[in-house]
Each structure stands twice: as C-alpha cells, then as structure tokens.
Amino acid sequence: MKKTAESSTVVGALIVTIMFAAAFTVPGGNNQSTGFPIFLNSTDESSTLVPFTVFMVSDAISLFTASGSVLMFFGILTSRYAYQDFLISLPLKLMIGACSLFISIATMAVAFCASLCIMLKGRLVVFIPITVLAGIATVILFMLVQFQLVFEIYSSTCRSHIFGPSFAIILGKYVRSRLFISRLLIRLRDN
C-alpha cells in the first residue's frame, strides 16, 4: 500500500503541475492588450468557443481531482499504520485516491483533445486518430491497470461488510484480538 501510494503521489503531482501550467498557457495564447485568452470571446461559436470551454473545464477538473488524489495518498503515507487503520481507513483512502487519479487522467486526456480541436480547426482527418489514441487508449489502459486494484480493495473491505459477516462480528474479533495482544504484552513485560 505504501509503495502504491508513493508512486501514485508522483503521478498525481506531475498531473497537478501540468494542469496548473496549462490553465495559464491556454491554447491560442492571450490578448496582449487585455491579458485575457484570445478564444474566450470568440465570435465563431462552433470552432473555438465550445472546445475552449471544454478545455478550461476539463483542465480545472483534472487539477482538482489530481490534487485530491495527492492529498489522499499523502494521508496514506503519513498515517500512523495502526491495526484498526488497515480495516477501513487506509483502504478507503487508497480507493478514493485511485479513483480521483483516474478521473484526473481522463479529464487531462479530454483537455488535450479539446486543445487539439482548437488548434486543428476542421482537420478531422488528423484530429480523430489523435483523439482516439490520446484519449481513449490512455484512459482504457489506465483503467485496466487500476481497476483490478480498486476492485480488490473494495471487495476485501466494503463488500465483505455488506455481504459477508456483519460489522459487529468483525468488531468483536478485533476487540478480542486487541485484548489478547495486550494480555500477551503484559505477560511478556512481567516475565
């Protein structure tokens, strides 16, 4: 879990950096006299304004979800690693972090495709294959890699409480094991 959190933190931090920079270096550049993006007040609705809006919204979503995933993974790395944390807290943080990282990668691909749409006005022969490769292939590959991890964590923590033994039984086993360990430590200390 710690190694997964470390590597995912690096990926999330890279996405945060890229999306933060992309928010200020928008496609088409800025108007030199006003400082606002050129495509923000475009009169041609179909070719630039809609893709520019999609770019800005997906860039913001990617930035915020990547920031959330980095915070979740930092929560795992700075956790006290107590026994009770491994039951619900740490797996929940890992699931939330992995899902938000997936959303940030997907919206990053959408932002890339929207900026290509702005730059390649009307050149569908070039735009469609690049969009398919950059957007769909990236998202599908990441989903195939991370889906198994998220599903295993979900099934071992959440689903087992719903479909398996009740939470009271699990809590009773946990309390009994903690009492056993504390009694064992007292005996070892006294000897």
Side-chain angles (χ1 to χ4, degrees):
M1 185 178 289
K2 192 171 183 178
K3 292 288 185 184
T4 302
E6 286 174 357
S7 60
S8 298
T9 301
V10 171
V11 172
L14 287 172
I15 292 173
V16 167
T17 305
I18 292 167
M19 293 294 107
F20 185 80
F24 295 105
T25 55
V26 294
N30 295 328
N31 189 343
Q32 294 299 322
S33 60
T34 63
F36 291 112
I38 292 173
F39 292 132
L40 184 63
N41 296 324
S42 178
T43 57
D44 188 14
E45 293 281 328
S46 63
S47 65
T48 56
L49 185 60
V50 172
F52 183 75
T53 306
V54 169
F55 170 79
M56 291 306 292
V57 169
S58 61
D59 183 72
I61 292 171
S62 180
L63 175 68
F64 296 135
T65 54
S67 299
S69 72
V70 167
L71 290 175
M72 283 293 126
F73 292 129
F74 274 152
I76 292 172
L77 293 174
T78 59
S79 177
R80 59 192 172 128
Y81 294 108
Y83 180 74
Q84 64 267 21
D85 289 343
F86 284 97
L87 287 176
I88 293 175
S89 176
L90 291 175
L92 186 64
K93 286 180 184 177
L94 188 62
M95 280 192 312
I96 292 171
C99 289
S100 60
L101 187 63
F102 171 72
I103 292 169
S104 71
I105 288 175
T107 52
M108 182 178 64
V110 170
F112 175 75
C113 294
S115 66
L116 276 180
C117 183
I118 293 169
M119 295 300 157
L120 300 173
K121 295 179 192 173
R123 296 190 187 118
L124 293 178
V125 175
V126 177
F127 173 70
I128 291 175
I130 292 175
T131 301
V132 168
L133 287 175
I136 296 171
T138 304
V139 171
I140 288 175
L141 285 175
F142 185 76
M143 186 176 70
L144 289 175
V145 170
Q146 292 289 50
F147 182 72
Q148 182 179 5
L149 172 69
V150 172
F151 182 74
E152 286 177 9
I153 292 171
Y154 173 76
S155 63
S156 68
T157 57
C158 299
R159 228 172 86 198
S160 65
H161 297 308
I162 296 170
F163 299 114
S166 68
F167 186 73
I169 295 172
I170 293 172
L171 186 61
K173 288 179 182 178
Y174 168 72
V175 169
R176 282 192 300 272
S177 67
R178 293 290 287 183
L179 289 174
F180 173 75
I181 291 171
S182 63
R183 287 179 190 151
L184 182 66
L185 290 174
I186 290 171
R187 285 183 191 161
L188 291 173
R189 186 188 65 190
D190 290 341
N191 291 336

